[in-house]
């Protein structure tokens, strides 16, 4: 359920919509995996995930080509 909430928040962020970001969670720790276009977008995805209730930490494995 937490992973779905994070996915929904990421999808609701217009700056992140063109990117496919995989989300997994274990005990409130969210891992983001995928590719984005800039460090700003990478940071925005992490901040969006952190804003979701129940998220304890975020492991940001988003790459920038």
């Amino acid at each position: 359920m937490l992973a779905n909430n994070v996915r929904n928040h990421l999808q609701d962020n217009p700056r992140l919509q063109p990117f496919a970001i995989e989300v997994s969670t274990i005990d409130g720790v969210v891992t983001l995996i995928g590719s984005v276009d800039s460090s700003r977008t990478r940071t925005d995805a992490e901040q969006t995930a952190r804003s979701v209730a129940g998220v304890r930490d975020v492991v940001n494995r988003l790459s920038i080509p």
Side-chain angles (χ1 to χ4, degrees), residues 1-13 15-16 21-33 36 40-62:
M1 182 158 151
L2 181 58
N4 287 335
N5 288 343
V6 172
R7 281 187 205 98
N8 290 337
H9 276 75
L10 293 172
Q11 289 173 354
D12 288 344
N13 185 327
R15 291 181 295 235
L16 302 175
I21 300 174
E22 294 180 39
V23 177
S24 64
T25 59
I26 297 175
D27 296 328
V29 178
V30 174
T31 301
L32 304 176
I33 300 172
V36 294
R40 181 174 183 205
T41 304
R42 185 177 190 272
T43 300
D44 194 31
E46 182 174 336
Q47 290 174 341
T48 298
R50 286 185 188 280
S51 73
V52 176
V55 172
R56 293 183 18 213
D57 198 9
V58 176
V59 177
N60 190 338
R61 293 193 177 151
L62 296 172

